[in-house]
Amino acid sequence: MIDTSAFQGKTAAYYTLGCKLNFSETSTFGKMLQDLGVTPVGKEETADICLINTCSVTEVADRKCRQAIHRLVRKHPNAFVVVTGCYAQLEAEEVSRIEGVDLVLGSNEKSQLVQFLSDAWTGQLGNTTKGAPYYIEKTKDIKTFAPSCSRGNRTRYFLKVQDGCDYFCTYCTIPYARGFSRNPSIASLVEQVRQAAAEGGKEIVLTGVNIGDFGKTTGEHFIDLVSALDQVEEISRYRISSLEPDLLSDELISYCGESRAFMPHFHIPLQSGSDTVLKLMHRHYDRQLFADKIHRIKEVMPDAFIGVDVMVGCRGETPECFEETYTFLEQLPVTQLHVFPYSERPGTSALSIPYKVNDKDKKLRSKRLLELSDRKTEAFYAAHIGLQAEVLFEKATRGRVMHGFTRNYVRVELAANESRSEYDNQLMQVVLEGFNHDKSALKCRLVNA
Ligand code: SF4
């Protein structure tokens, strides 16, 4: 039994660390509480409830979580502080000992946030007073799926289509933090998309941990999800946040090439371009398969934007292995590299690989790949100068220039004197002109405006 009256008139502050999935889940927690009469606080106000959604992807992420918890406890001295997310799941005991934390919710429990709050306030969770917080035991069997489709802080919606992962790459703790792969039904996702469209949503990003694995729970297939969503005509654009290369089928690539609303935009984790390192990581493909997928995408969609995740300095990455990665990426027609320095995670099997890369070499390798990425992105953008494109504009920040993205994810900038609030969330035709001041976007002019 939930005592809904206890929520009425309360205020809440939300803080999210980590990936888009976390941001999407936090928005859903916000919605759940808003439905019970809880309003979000402004930047300078103090809240009655403070919810912190954490990440544990690297050592640095763990540190940032601890710092954020301390800072928010100080900022909201009278708030009931709830910590959830991957760091909370993996280090529940440590988090529960942080002064000011009232409740730690694991990955299985976070979807019942409202019930837990209600129980805590009516004394049913045992001692949850400050200094003696309640926390949830870790579970090896995380099975719940917290549905989520929320507007991000700009224009796009983020639809969670899958959670968890069965892959157990040797460097990664995500399967321990989020459990095994699971998903809701296609029908329920189509329904969420229809609701987003009814709220005015035009673009939706499909998020998850290992999205290509969609269907394990329901006996469905990712391609069927894509095709069902494509038929919701009120949505103009879909993007897929990330797909493992071995799960990116040729059938899906062909489908996207002819699709009404799936954009020519891919994000594919490579991690390493050395087969030796890929084996040490227990990845499910080799570099040849990865190259084949990239070439196939470009054959079907020559203007596709392809973002690639690369990890540098992982255990076993000798200088020769890194050079293999560098030349592999140099030769591939990809658009942007997301470079992550390897971080040692407790409990992972990668720790048993003897060869270690020092921090100085990790930094040098990251720098070289980031420079390569800048050159590739710049060349991709430059090839669009002078072309006409459809752009979905996003809310202007500080009433200045407006930004938006083309179908193939070129970032576009509309000058302040041309920007209008009514362009927010509108699809418009523009002509792409030269680079903006820091080359982070192409300037544009409106067609027929
Ligand atoms: S595919 Fe590998 S890196 Fe990605 S979440 Fe699963 S275990 Fe982690």
Side-chain angles (χ1 to χ4, degrees), residues 367-384:
K367 188 168 172 280
R368 281 184 61 198
L369 284 176
L370 286 170
E371 285 166 1
L372 175 63
S373 175
D374 285 347
R375 288 201 295 280
K376 282 181 174 286
T377 312
E378 196 177 321
F380 185 80
Y381 274 32
H384 287 73

Side-chain angles (χ1 to χ4, degrees), residues 80-91:
F80 188 90
V81 177
V82 187
V83 184
T84 188
C86 292
Y87 180 55
Q89 174 69 35
L90 292 171
E91 300 296 341

Side-chain angles (χ1 to χ4, degrees), residues 205-239:
V205 182
L206 310 191
T207 64
V209 175
N210 190 346
I211 297 180
D213 224 15
F214 177 92
K216 282 242 163 100
T217 324
T218 53
E220 296 168 306
H221 298 285
F222 186 60
I223 184 83
D224 300 328
L225 171 67
V226 165
S227 141
L229 296 179
D230 208 17
Q231 284 162 44
V232 182
E233 300 236 328
E234 304 92 307
I235 299 297
S236 310
R237 293 177 164 195
Y238 291 100
R239 300 185 191 276

Side-chain angles (χ1 to χ4, degrees), residues 164-169 171-175 209-210 244 271 283:
C165 184
D166 296 349
Y167 271 20
F168 290 91
C169 301
Y171 53 84
C172 182
T173 51
I174 290 178
V209 175
N210 190 346
E244 286 294 310
Q271 309 308 11
R283 300 289 287 167

Side-chain angles (χ1 to χ4, degrees), residues 383-420:
H384 287 73
I385 295 173
L387 302 182
Q388 188 167 324
E390 179 199 76
V391 171
L392 181 68
F393 279 107
E394 301 185 334
K395 217 180 209 144
T397 46
R398 295 188 292 276
R400 307 277 297 273
V401 290
M402 287 192 93
H403 289 105
F405 287 92
T406 63
R407 290 169 60 83
N408 62 346
Y409 211 57
V410 173
R411 190 164 181 257
V412 161
E413 184 174 297
L414 184 66
N417 60 351
E418 282 196 68
S419 78
R420 307 273 181 277

Side-chain angles (χ1 to χ4, degrees), residues 10 13 40 55 60 83 91-92 104 127 148 161 168 176 203 247 260 272 279 301 305 312 326 330 343 353 377 409 430:
K10 281 200 162 54
C55 165
V60 176
V83 184
E91 300 296 341
V104 182
N127 187 2
S148 156
V161 301
F168 290 91
Y176 306 102
E203 178 169 317
L247 298 173
R260 178 189 65 83
S272 173
K279 272 204 187 102
M301 291 161 272
F305 181 110
V312 292
Y326 189 90
E330 201 175 26
S343 171
I353 303 167
T377 312
Y409 211 57
V430 303

